[in-house]
Amino acid sequence: DAKTTQPPSMDCAEGRAANLPCNHSTISGNEYVYWYRQIHSQGPQYIIHGLKNNETNEMASLIITEDRKSSTLILPHATLRDTAVYYCIVNSGNTPLVFGKGTRLSVIA
Amino acid sequence: DGGITQSPKYLFRKEGQNVTLSCEQNLNHDAMYWYRQDPGQGLRLIYYSQIVNDFQKGDIAEGYSVSREKKESFPLTVTSAQKNPTAYYLCARSRTRDKAFFGQGTRLTVV
């Protein structure tokens, strides 16, 4: 079973920041938080991951709370092409990824 | 393609026939994975392999078989024992303790 909890769906206006929450209250000390997204009819795409520090790359920012029990993926300026299902996954890197149902993000013009 | 190729993109088979889905990677990564996705659902793990000539069952291995004779190839056979084979099949690769890269998937329809 997935060890994360995400809202099933969210909407975001185009050009605004999309903030996608994830709860992972049972995360272990050696587990990372990974985010992937899946655009319709394509394979999942890696976005970002982190252990305890906040991370930023060209796609997104990842904010992890100090107790590591939750995190937020931030897409700073959402576009229509960001409409997808976003998966938050906790994983140590030594085992296969376990996917939940994710959050369906709809970016609206 | 992210260094991983699945073929074909669409596949049709008659009920009762075995079918083999191809997955090839060209980045010398150790680990390869097969997932199944049904409409509106997340991905479920079928099999994975972390080294040549070795593989482990995932959560839904019944009715499937795999081989890992070469590092770059991890074919999945959907056997006639799989009761509901129609699905979207995704293959992935990764280095140890690193992010995974997925192929574009194969949509299998059994009629």
Side-chain angles (χ1 to χ4, degrees):
Chain A
D1 292 339
K3 298 198 291 185
T4 62
T5 303
Q6 298 177 253
S9 64
M10 294 181 63
D11 293 337
C12 178
E14 188 178 21
R16 304 299 292 268
N19 296 282
L20 291 89
C22 180
N23 287 325
H24 32 79
S25 58
T26 61
I27 191 170
S28 300
N30 66 339
E31 289 182 316
Y32 290 78
V33 180
Y34 288 83
W35 283 85
Y36 287 77
R37 73 179 182 183
Q38 188 175 23
I39 295 170
H40 184 61
S41 298
Q42 297 183 22
Q45 176 191 23
Y46 166 82
I47 302 172
I48 198 167
H49 75 284
L51 185 63
K52 52 184 177 181
N53 296 324
N54 297 338
E55 302 287 344
T56 296
N57 63 19
E58 65 279 3
M59 290 183 69
S61 295
L62 173 61
I63 308 299
I64 303 174
T65 58
E66 192 168 345
D67 63 8
R68 301 210 322 127
K69 293 185 177 182
S70 66
S71 60
T72 301
L73 178 75
I74 301 172
L75 308 178
H77 305 287
T79 71
L80 298 178
R81 288 177 294 181
D82 292 321
T83 292
V85 178
Y86 287 77
Y87 296 101
C88 170
I89 301 168
V90 295
N91 187 270
S92 64
N94 295 325
T95 57
L97 300 174
V98 176
F99 287 80
K101 293 189 177 182
T103 295
R104 183 172 299 277
L105 176 68
S106 298
V107 180
I108 302 165
Chain B
D1 64 359
I4 184 162
T5 302
Q6 290 187 244
S7 61
K9 190 171 183 179
Y10 298 94
L11 190 56
F12 295 87
R13 278 294 182 270
K14 290 185 178 179
E15 193 172 350
Q17 289 182 335
N18 291 355
V19 60
T20 297
L21 311 184
S22 170
C23 180
E24 304 279 329
Q25 57 116 348
N26 61 5
L27 292 177
N28 204 36
H29 285 183
D30 289 318
M32 296 185 75
Y33 313 85
W34 275 105
Y35 290 86
R36 168 185 171 135
Q37 188 173 33
D38 292 288
Q41 304 298 313
L43 283 69
R44 292 184 291 167
L45 182 68
I46 305 173
Y47 269 99
Y48 67 103
S49 168
Q50 294 180 314
I51 193 170
V52 174
N53 292 323
D54 189 41
F55 46 83
Q56 284 76 44
K57 292 182 179 180
D59 300 319
I60 55 166
E62 186 176 349
Y64 299 97
S65 66
V66 293
S67 63
R68 187 86 186 277
E69 296 176 2
K70 300 183 295 183
K71 198 171 191 178
E72 59 268 27
S73 179
F74 191 40
L76 173 74
T77 297
V78 184
T79 75
S80 56
Q82 168 49 233
K83 290 181 172 41
N84 297 295
T86 294
Y88 185 35
Y89 291 89
L90 288 152
C91 181
R93 60 162 179 85
S94 73
R95 288 189 295 237
T96 303
R97 298 191 191 90
D98 200 359
K99 51 190 175 286
F101 293 89
F102 286 80
Q104 289 301 298
T106 293
R107 292 194 182 276
L108 173 65
T109 302
V110 176
V111 296

